[in-house]
């Protein structure tokens, strides 16, 4: 009996076809089953278990502390929720930079234990041999160029990247290298819109932008940011599509009052 089933799930082939057809690709981060299920049901193409979980879920200042095992724990819930979307998991800082062998071992562990569809790595020419090894091992890889938060200590902050011509030229070269190596998509973070457009035209892999203008093949945002759950963070590129911080605080305030004044639970809410 065959275990292969027909699926309507988004695949690496599908996102490449979307680029060719001029259809925009939608990606949002997700870190848990409940929200991932809602985002999946809403029709998102790609769920990214970003290492931004280090900030959003764990409250760390940087993405650097999160571990492979923590990423796997979060990814399992997202994978269980995803009926339609493809699930991409960030390889955390330190899990792919040491050696090609170590990178393959960690990527295989992430894919096996979480059930995810692909991994994402930050970097260009520097990590090309690593990306080639992962792809040769049958692991779909999403690249990530521009602002790469795992290198925050090297950059000295989260400012706009590739403003100067030399850095822009390097980014374009890196994107071409990632494309030739077989990355199925490339995230472009916080770079000038004109450069993102140039890169998008120059590569066959779909580009997915965050703070990179609207000429990229798709867009990604951190879910909690776009839902307005994190009011303290509002860079220029971010749009709040909801104001959930206010909704959550309002609901919790109403609950506290109802408990304190004895109106919750009422007669219909007890056994
Ligand atoms: O970790 C993350 O959330 C990301 C996105 C910002 C692309 O890498």
């Amino acid at each position: 009996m065959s275990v292969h089933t027909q699926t309507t799930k988004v695949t690496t082939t599908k996102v490449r076809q979307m680029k060719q057809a001029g259809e925009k690709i939608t990606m949002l981060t997700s870190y848990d089953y409940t929200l991932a299920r809602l985002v999946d049901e809403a029709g998102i193409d790609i769920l990214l278990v970003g290492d931004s979980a280090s900030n959003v879920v764990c409250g760390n200042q940087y993405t650097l502390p999160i571990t492979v095992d923590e990423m796997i724990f979060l990814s399992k819930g997202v994978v269980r929720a995803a009926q339609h979307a493809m699930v991409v998991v960030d390889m955390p800082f330190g899990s792919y930079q040491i050696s090609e062998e170590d990178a393959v071992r960690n990527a295989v562990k992430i894919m096996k234990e979480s059930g995810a569809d692909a991994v994402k790595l930050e970097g260009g020419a520097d990590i090309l041999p690593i990306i080639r090894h992962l792809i040769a091992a049958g692991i779909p890889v999403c690249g990530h160029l521009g602002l790469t938060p795992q290198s925050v200590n090297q950059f000295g902050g989260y400012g706009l990247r590739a403003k100067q011509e030399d850095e822009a030229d390097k980014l374009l070269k890196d994107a071409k290298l990632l494309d030739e190596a077989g990355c199925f998509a490339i995230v472009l973070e916080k770079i000038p819109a004109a450069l993102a457009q140039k890169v998008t035209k120059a590569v066959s892999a779909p580009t997915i932008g965050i703070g990179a203008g609207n000429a990229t093949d798709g867009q990604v945002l951190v879910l909690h940011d776009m839902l307005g759950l994190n009011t303290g963070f509002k860079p220029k590129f971010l749009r709040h599509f909801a104001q959930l911080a206010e909704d959550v605080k309002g609901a919790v305030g109403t609950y506290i009052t109802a408990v304190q004044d004895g109106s919750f639970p009422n007669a219909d809410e007890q056994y």
Side-chain angles (χ1 to χ4, degrees), residues 94-109:
S95 69
Y96 57 96
Q97 294 90 342
I98 294 166
S99 70
E100 287 146 21
E101 196 187 313
D102 198 43
V104 174
R105 190 183 303 112
N106 281 320
V108 167
K109 181 176 160 77

Side-chain angles (χ1 to χ4, degrees), residues 110-123:
I110 289 170
M111 300 286 288
K112 264 185 186 283
E113 295 183 21
S114 73
D117 303 302
V119 295
K120 176 165 83 59
L121 281 73
E122 296 180 5

